Amino acid sequence: MNITALAEALDAAAREGRPLPGGGSGLKDTGEAYAVQDALVALRLARGERLTGFKLGFTSVAKMRQMGVSDLIHGRLTDRMEIPDGGRFDVSGLIHPRVEPEVAFLLGGTLRPGGDPMAAVAAVAPALEVIDSRYDGFRFSLPEVIADNTSAAGYAVGAWTAPADLGDRGVLLELDGRTAETGSTAAILGRPLRALAAAARLAGALEPGTVILAGAATAAVPLPPGTHVRATVAGLGSVAFTTGEGA
C-alpha cells in the first residue's frame, strides 16, 4: 500500500471531480487510513491552505445507519472549505455533494484530553457541513472514508453565541424552504459536549481558534446546484447558504 500514491489519487479526484472506485484501495486498517489522510491534508497545505478546524464523523445514529458503520472518525478543515453564512457555494466541481446540520464549537483555550471540555469553549453556533466522498457511488470502507478526510468538502457556521448546554435541542434542515430532515442535538453522541471530549482524545490537543464540528444531527441529504439550504438549531439560530455553479 503506497500511502503517498493514494493521497495523491484522492487529491486529484477532489480537484478534478473524478471519483475513484471504492473497495480497491488496499487499506488494511485505520492506522494506514489516517496516514493517508495526513498526507492528503499536507498536499492541501502545501498549496497554501491553512488548517481551521477539526471534524468528527459518525457521531449520530442516523449517519451511522446511513453509511453502515459504527466507528467514530475524524478529519481536518481548512480555510478553502469555509462557506460564508448567507453566501454562495460552488458545487459544480463536486462529485455527489450532500449536506447535513451540525453544531460548531469555537475554542478559546487549548482543548486537552481529560480536561474540562467546556472550559476550553469560547462560543457555539449552528453549522452546515457539505460532504462529498471521492469514491464512486458514495461507497467505501471505513479506512477509505478516513483516508478521504472523512468526505470533508465545505462548512458554514452561523453567528457565534455564548457556550450553553446543548443536550437536547431541536434541529431543522431545510432545502428551498421545505423540511428535508428534523432531529435533535442529542443525536450527537447523546450530547454534543461529548464530541469535544472525543476530539481531544483523538487529536491529543487542539489550539485556541480551532472550529470543531461535532457531527451530524440528522442524515445527510443530496445538495444540487441552485438550492438554498438552511439549518436551524433551537436556541442557537440559523445558518444558510445557496449553491450554484461558479459561485
Side-chain angles (χ1 to χ4, degrees):
M1 228 295 297
N2 189 314
I3 299 293
T4 301
L6 181 53
E8 291 175 345
L10 286 166
D11 186 57
R15 289 186 289 108
E16 300 168 9
R18 173 182 48 79
L20 301 177
S25 66
L27 287 169
K28 299 182 182 65
D29 53 40
T30 59
E32 284 189 347
Y34 280 113
V36 175
Q37 183 188 117
D38 288 345
L40 175 63
V41 172
L43 290 172
R44 300 185 70 126
L45 300 182
R47 290 197 295 270
E49 297 182 41
R50 61 180 178 83
L51 291 174
T52 56
F54 188 89
K55 59 160 286 188
L56 294 166
F58 303 148
T59 55
S60 80
V61 174
K63 187 62 181 288
M64 286 189 283
R65 287 175 178 168
Q66 183 185 32
M67 294 309 203
V69 298
S70 59
D71 300 69
L72 188 68
I73 60 176
H74 66 274
R76 297 287 180 169
L77 305 173
T78 75
D79 60 325
R80 286 290 300 276
M81 299 179 191
E82 293 176 352
I83 306 169
D85 184 14
R88 295 180 64 81
F89 179 60
D90 183 7
V91 296
S92 62
L94 302 186
I95 299 168
H96 25 48
R98 301 180 183 184
V99 65
E100 54 195 25
E102 305 210 8
V103 170
F105 294 93
L106 176 64
L107 297 185
T110 301
L111 180 64
R112 304 183 191 279
D116 177 5
M118 205 60 181
V121 175
V124 297
L128 286 161
E129 185 186 4
V130 178
I131 57 175
D132 183 38
S133 173
R134 269 59 72 162
Y135 299 106
D136 191 31
F138 230 98
R139 294 185 296 271
F140 43 74
S141 67
L142 179 64
E144 285 174 336
V145 68
I146 291 170
D148 190 25
N149 196 28
T150 65
S151 305
Y155 71 101
V157 177
W160 294 106
T161 59
D165 183 2
L166 303 174
D168 186 10
R169 299 198 181 198
V171 177
L172 173 66
L173 178 65
E174 297 172 283
L175 298 184
D176 293 328
R178 296 186 294 273
T179 298
E181 290 283 343
T182 59
S184 166
T185 55
I188 304 170
L189 294 178
R191 188 181 182 202
L193 281 181
R194 291 175 181 158
L196 289 178
R201 184 181 71 252
L202 294 168
L206 291 167
E207 298 303 315
T210 300
V211 173
I212 299 177
L213 296 184
T218 74
V221 300
L223 185 61
T227 301
H228 180 74
V229 55
R230 179 172 65 181
T232 303
V233 179
L236 288 187
S238 299
V239 56
F241 62 85
T242 301
T243 62
E245 296 185 5

